Amino acid sequence: MSHNSAVNAGTLIGHVHLKVADLDRALGFYCGVLGFELMQRMGSGAAFISAGGYHHHIGLNTWESKGGSPPPPGTTGLYHTAILYPTRPALADALHRVLSAGIALDGASDHGVSEALYLRDPDENGVELYWDKPREQWPFGADGKLAMFTKRLDVEDLLRQREA
């Protein structure tokens, strides 16, 4: 594998497409709880949802998974989908939505570079909701390399940051 040509710095993950058991249930979570907008629906087979009018940030489909069960532990697959919020108050609003819907968090962490909330969607897919701290606040070691860590995030403090 050649390491001499890095990927273009403007490259991003454009969208994630998830296999779900029940499209309406998945839309209830991603649109009803998190607030994503339904851009297009193809019957009970697929839906495309976004933030801000983009064609889709998340695709959901039941093509190979209708009525299916989550993969058992010990198998490979998606660890989590990470949804990046632009500000700490926007992440606080997402936290409020999740808690108001009675959804439990699996965890909440300060990683030095970001603050992250971890939970599961109705199909048991891992979901991370996070915001990036300003780059000048990121932790770097004496060698100049990034030195991320995991500490407990104060969820109550985050909720106080919620936009009115």
Side-chain angles (χ1 to χ4, degrees):
M1 187 162 87
S2 173
H3 294 287
N4 57 2
S5 63
V7 68
N8 182 296
T11 303
L12 301 170
I13 303 298
H15 68 269
V16 63
H17 200 127
L18 301 172
K19 295 190 292 185
V20 301
D22 181 314
L23 194 58
D24 288 327
R25 184 179 70 178
L27 288 169
F29 174 76
Y30 287 100
C31 296
V33 176
L34 295 183
F36 281 86
E37 179 185 1
L38 178 63
M39 300 304 292
Q40 184 178 355
R41 180 165 179 160
M42 300 164 68
S44 62
F48 301 91
I49 63 177
S50 83
Y54 187 62
H55 53 78
H56 71 294
H57 288 109
I58 301 172
L60 304 164
N61 80 69
T62 60
W63 299 324
E64 301 171 2
S65 54
K66 191 171 181 73
S69 56
T75 57
T76 59
L78 184 71
Y79 187 69
H80 63 227
T81 299
I83 299 171
L84 175 61
Y85 290 83
T87 62
R88 193 169 199 253
L91 179 63
D93 180 67
L95 172 60
H96 177 76
R97 289 167 173 266
V98 165
L99 297 179
S100 296
I103 298 169
L105 294 180
D106 289 344
S109 300
D110 178 344
H111 294 299
V113 297
S114 64
E115 290 182 327
L117 308 170
Y118 299 95
L119 57 144
R120 309 227 146 244
D121 78 3
D123 289 285
E124 296 295 321
N125 293 308
V127 178
E128 174 183 345
L129 309 178
Y130 77 108
W131 83 285
D132 277 332
K133 295 181 181 183
R135 196 178 184 103
E136 57 272 16
Q137 293 179 21
W138 292 4
F140 291 93
D143 60 0
K145 290 199 180 343
L146 196 58
M148 291 187 284
F149 54 78
T150 299
K151 294 181 180 168
R152 191 184 75 78
L153 177 63
D154 184 340
V155 176
E156 287 71 29
D157 180 66
L158 175 59
L159 275 176
R160 284 194 287 274
Q161 295 293 307
R162 193 166 152 241
E163 294 166 332

